[in-house]
Amino acid sequence: MIRVAVVAVAVLLVASLPWLWTTISARGHVYDEADAPAADVVIVLGTAVAADRRQPGDRLAGRLQTAAELVNSGRARVVLVSGDGAGTSGDEPAVMTSYLTDLGVDPRRVVADPYGLDTYDSCARAREVYGVERALVVTQSYHLSRAVTLCRHLGLDVDGVAARCAGCGRALLAEKSLRDYFASGKAAWDAVRDRPPAVRSPADPAVRNAQRG
């Protein structure tokens, strides 16, 4: 019985290593909205849009509201919205761009990446395609450490900002936290093998141009 317990603990520790990596690596780089530092660029990670396919879902709306506040308060100048342009719920970057405009963000300050198919791809493409070196990355708290760790691993100097999350009850947060625990394994595997993004694109000066505008 003791041997079984020891083996079980060992397996749990090994399984937890990727989660520990993302959590420890992000330490010191995660902020609440009110305490967020400044950066020229804020990256908003996509997620599901609403059933009408024209408005963001609750979690995506929270991310965009946080990004808009960072811009409107002068802590960021350009928003890179990164998501799946052909997602099952709809065109994430298009919805994100429209919603940011409704929140008062100048559309000339918004750049859309329709090939941010997951967190890793969003970080990799921000660096490789759009030339981003320093940024804030916005997503909900349960996802933030993984996003920050992946972006920093891929060469971006990023700080994470926890997004608003209206309607995020305890059950949803627990579910998403558990999902992210297991997703950290894929994140670690992608990082170890230096996976290229699913879609490769030539360099795009849109972010630089938006900064100059």
Side-chain angles (χ1 to χ4, degrees):
M1 182 65 74
I2 293 177
R3 182 177 298 176
V4 171
V6 169
V7 170
V9 169
V11 169
L12 179 61
L13 287 173
V14 171
S16 296
L17 286 176
W19 177 82
L20 288 170
W21 170 62
T22 61
T23 301
I24 294 170
S25 297
R27 190 167 294 167
H29 298 286
V30 172
Y31 296 86
D32 293 329
E33 181 183 315
D35 301 321
D40 281 347
V41 180
V42 55
I43 302 169
V44 183
L45 302 177
T47 189
V49 306
D52 65 3
R53 304 176 76 88
R54 294 191 297 272
Q55 294 293 318
D58 288 344
R59 286 176 291 126
L60 185 54
R63 299 178 190 186
L64 296 166
Q65 290 160 11
T66 298
E69 175 58 26
L70 293 172
V71 172
N72 293 334
S73 66
R75 284 173 289 171
R77 298 181 63 227
V78 174
V79 186
L80 175 61
V81 293
S82 184
D84 189 347
T88 55
S89 66
D91 186 338
E92 294 172 9
V95 170
M96 294 161 82
T97 300
S98 176
Y99 191 74
L100 282 171
T101 301
D102 291 343
L103 292 174
V105 177
D106 185 340
R108 295 173 297 179
R109 300 287 185 185
V110 181
V111 176
D113 179 9
Y115 299 115
L117 305 185
D118 61 15
T119 304
Y120 185 97
D121 282 17
S122 291
C123 293
R125 287 178 56 83
R127 183 76 177 89
E128 296 176 12
V129 178
Y130 296 97
V132 177
E133 296 180 355
R134 163 74 183 144
L136 303 176
V137 61
V138 173
T139 186
Q140 270 76 32
S141 58
Y142 54 78
H143 178 210
L144 198 55
S145 291
R146 179 163 60 93
V148 167
T149 296
L150 281 174
C151 281
R152 295 186 70 83
H153 174 80
L154 289 163
L156 283 81
D157 176 14
V158 303
D159 289 308
V161 183
R164 303 174 190 182
C165 200
C168 287
R170 291 182 181 178
L172 177 64
L173 290 174
E175 174 194 338
K176 294 298 181 182
S177 296
L178 182 62
R179 178 186 179 279
D180 213 73
Y181 172 86
F182 289 109
S184 63
K186 179 180 182 299
W189 176 236
D190 284 343
V192 165
R193 63 194 179 102
D194 197 23
R195 173 177 74 81
V199 178
R200 306 300 293 264
S201 303
D204 188 330
V207 170
R208 275 195 211 93
N209 292 341
Q211 288 176 278
R212 294 183 187 129

